[in-house]
Amino acid sequence: MVSDPASISQEGKRVFSLSEITVSIERMFSKYYASPYWIRAELSKLNHYPQSGHCYPDLVERRDGKIKAQLRGVIWRDELFEITRKFEEVTREPFREGINIMFLAYVKFTSEYGLSLQIIDIEPLHTLGELAREKMETISGLKKEGVFSSNRLLELPLLPKRLAVISAQTSKGYSDLMITLENNPWGYRFNTRLFHALLQGNGAVDSIRKQLGIIRENQQQFDAVLIIRGGGDEIGMACYDNYLLARDVACFPLPVITGIGHSTNETVVEMVAGINKITPTDVAHFLIGCFRNFSDRIKTAEQLLLPAVKLVMETNATRFTALSDSLLNLAKEALYEENDFIEQQALVIREATNVAVFNHRIALSRYESGITMRPARILGAHRATLLEQQKMLGLTIRYFVSNQLKEIGTADTRVRLLDPVGVLKRGFTITRVKGRGVAPGNMPEPGDLLETESVSGKFTSVVSEQKSI
């Protein structure tokens, strides 16, 4: 390294410019790194510039999730075109970020851009092997968890009518699906709802998983989920080998039907899906076939059932006729017996009624006679009583009147006898009740014995007894 004399400092130190250092490093790299090297690394970021056509990828090496080494690469436009074509032909995957690649590159150092790897070729079989390894790891992990066959064990509804479709609205596969479903010759109608998602590239996994999550929250509205990607393009299928996406599909609570548009290299998502069809059109024909098969089964059942029904109807018609005749005869016999019984009962009732009426009539006659004669007897009995009482009353009255007259006569006699004038002229007779003294108010009563005393001359008395009145 030759230094400009001006680069000698006053202290005698030797000082180099940056360009001198970088030129020296560049000459060293040109001498010791003249030939290219095969290198393995992860394509962390592509950094493609469409205007120039060049690409400046970021290359990293990871270990245990940490970056162990990183370096910038460069792929010139012409090499990029050839590398991309070769890679996609072998791997059927786009040359994209996030993949492991093995490439042929020169180790370059320039004063202007520093250290870089100039990629001139690629070995796609290495990436293919890495993709295959990742795919096998995904399958192994799902089987180890016991969920590899979970979605395939779900029973698809007999008529899957309500469909959640995960696809891109501009996808040709989605267009083929809808045209086939809507234009089926039998006029079957399907209720579809599109959940837009990226179908390839780095964002495909997250996009599809997001839509699966939305459908899961509204799973009661759907019969099945369709993952549709078509158009015959087989590039960009590695995302369907992703472990997280495959696990979501395997564990999904609704049957998943895939039609992602290729016939080789079956992806893990297709393996774990309940039903896998090659193209979206095949998916549409399968769904239409479910309705068609059901219709055919109904027609077949109708054809098998119709003769059996006719035979049963004929047999039962004969039996029904026989039973009807038998029932009619039994009904007639029962009616006859009931009529006879009713007539007998009516006769018994009539006789019983006549007897009852006759007996009541006799009883009424007796009551009538009794009622007719009883007043006369009562009146006669009371008349005799009244006559007897009248007779007794007459006797009592005459007796009372006689006694009263006698008392009046006695009183009158006593008055006359007690008259002083008469007494003095002829004397007088004292009449009193025997055993009682003469006193005012000492009147005789019925049953009393009277005694009289005559007074005359010298008032000598003569006593005589008289019986009571």
Side-chain angles (χ1 to χ4, degrees):
M1 182 180 296
V2 179
S3 172
D4 189 341
S7 299
I8 303 298
S9 65
Q10 295 179 357
E11 294 83 4
K13 295 180 180 179
R14 195 172 185 181
V15 179
F16 299 94
S17 65
L18 179 61
S19 61
E20 289 176 333
I21 297 297
T22 56
V23 168
S24 175
I25 295 173
E26 186 176 352
R27 284 200 298 265
M28 182 187 66
F29 270 86
S30 299
K31 178 179 180 180
Y32 293 103
Y33 293 91
S35 60
Y37 295 88
W38 284 103
I39 305 171
R40 292 192 305 269
E42 177 186 336
L43 186 58
S44 175
K45 194 172 183 181
L46 199 57
N47 296 321
H48 179 244
Y49 293 88
Q51 291 183 350
S52 64
H54 305 318
C55 183
Y56 303 94
D58 291 335
L59 305 167
V60 298
E61 179 181 350
R62 301 178 190 272
R63 181 172 298 178
D64 299 328
K66 297 181 179 180
I67 296 177
K68 184 179 180 181
Q70 60 180 343
L71 195 61
R72 188 170 61 90
V74 58
I75 308 176
W76 305 122
R77 181 178 58 188
D78 295 338
E79 282 81 5
L80 179 62
F81 177 79
E82 184 63 25
I83 286 172
T84 302
R85 183 191 62 79
K86 180 179 179 181
F87 185 84
E88 291 181 354
E89 284 181 356
V90 175
T91 64
R92 312 308 302 170
E93 287 291 320
F95 189 66
R96 57 180 174 79
E97 301 172 355
I99 59 175
N100 290 310
I101 60 175
M102 186 169 71
F103 54 91
L104 183 64
Y106 286 103
V107 181
K108 293 290 186 178
F109 184 89
T110 62
S111 299
E112 183 178 359
Y113 299 108
L115 183 63
S116 64
L117 298 175
Q118 182 182 345
I119 301 173
I120 59 175
D121 197 3
I122 194 169
E123 177 49 70
L125 292 177
H126 172 78
T127 303
L128 188 63
E130 288 293 317
L131 295 174
R133 181 182 60 80
E134 293 177 3
K135 179 178 180 180
M136 293 307 297
E137 289 178 352
T138 297
I139 295 173
S140 177
L142 295 175
K143 289 183 177 180
K144 186 176 180 180
E145 284 191 58
V147 299
F148 188 82
S149 302
S150 297
N151 195 258
R152 288 185 293 177
L153 296 177
L154 297 179
E155 183 177 357
L156 184 70
L158 188 61
L159 298 176
K161 184 180 181 66
R162 304 173 302 165
L163 307 173
V165 183
I166 297 178
S167 185
Q169 189 169 9
T170 57
S171 168
K172 186 177 184 304
Y174 175 68
S175 176
D176 293 342
L177 173 76
M178 297 305 299
I179 290 173
T180 305
L181 290 179
E182 293 174 358
N183 297 326
N184 70 86
W186 298 278
Y188 303 137
R189 289 292 174 260
F190 297 87
N191 298 326
T192 61
R193 178 179 172 184
L194 175 65
F195 291 84
H196 178 76
L198 299 177
L199 303 177
Q200 65 183 42
N202 293 333
V205 172
D206 293 336
S207 181
I208 296 174
R209 291 188 66 203
K210 178 181 177 181
Q211 298 301 346
L212 285 173
I214 296 174
I215 297 171
R216 182 189 292 269
E217 294 175 356
N218 301 276
Q219 57 182 292
Q220 70 279 358
Q221 301 178 13
F222 304 102
D223 297 323
V225 179
L226 312 183
I227 300 178
I228 300 302
R229 174 188 179 277
D233 187 5
E234 297 184 7
I235 303 299
M237 304 298 295
C239 61
Y240 298 100
D241 292 327
N242 180 268
Y243 176 79
L244 296 177
L245 177 58
R247 190 180 186 281
D248 286 350
V249 172
C251 298
F252 204 74
L254 295 175
V256 178
I257 305 175
T258 56
I260 56 179
H262 73 104
S263 60
T264 60
N265 298 326
E266 187 178 24
T267 64
V268 180
V269 168
E270 293 172 296
M271 293 178 184
V272 300
I275 297 171
N276 174 38
K277 298 298 177 181
I278 297 175
T279 65
T281 304
D282 291 334
V283 173
H285 286 308
F286 168 77
L287 295 171
I288 296 170
C290 292
F291 284 77
R292 186 61 182 168
N293 291 338
F294 182 73
S295 177
D296 292 341
R297 288 169 60 187
I298 292 177
K299 290 181 179 179
T300 302
E302 180 184 0
Q303 294 174 357
L304 295 175
L305 190 60
L306 188 59
V309 170
K310 288 182 178 178
L311 179 61
V312 171
M313 291 293 291
E314 293 174 357
T315 303
N316 288 336
T318 305
R319 293 180 59 191
F320 181 75
T321 302
L323 290 173
S324 298
D325 295 339
S326 176
L327 182 61
L328 183 60
N329 294 330
L330 291 174
K332 288 181 178 179
E333 292 177 1
L335 287 174
Y336 291 150
E337 292 177 358
E338 290 298 324
N339 285 333
D340 293 340
F341 177 76
I342 291 173
E343 290 178 359
Q344 293 175 3
Q345 292 297 112
L347 181 60
V348 171
I349 292 172
R350 283 197 297 270
E351 292 177 354
T353 303
N354 292 333
V355 171
V357 171
F358 180 76
N359 292 334
H360 283 287
R361 185 174 294 168
I362 293 174
L364 288 174
S365 297
R366 290 175 180 174
Y367 289 142
E368 182 180 2
S369 300
I371 292 173
T372 303
M373 296 174 63
R374 188 174 182 184
R377 288 198 300 268
I378 294 173
L379 290 175
H382 284 285
R383 183 180 291 114
T385 302
L386 290 174
L387 292 174
E388 185 67 25
Q389 289 179 352
Q390 182 180 3
K391 184 178 179 180
M392 292 299 296
L393 182 61
L395 294 173
T396 303
I397 292 173
R398 285 196 296 273
Y399 178 76
F400 179 74
V401 170
S402 177
N403 288 336
Q404 292 296 319
L405 289 175
K406 288 179 180 182
E407 289 181 1
I408 293 172
T410 301
D412 182 59
T413 300
R414 292 176 64 186
V415 171
R416 285 196 302 270
L417 290 175
L418 293 176
D419 185 7
V421 177
V423 170
L424 294 176
K425 288 181 176 182
R426 64 179 185 278
F428 58 87
T429 301
I430 298 172
T431 302
R432 59 175 178 267
V433 179
K434 188 177 180 177
R436 299 183 187 175
V438 178
N442 210 0
M443 297 299 293
E445 295 178 359
D448 291 340
L449 295 179
L450 302 177
E451 60 181 4
T452 60
E453 180 182 354
S454 299
V455 180
S456 66
K458 299 178 179 178
F459 295 97
T460 48
S461 61
V462 180
V463 180
S464 62
E465 290 186 2
Q466 296 183 1
K467 294 183 179 179
S468 62
I469 301 175

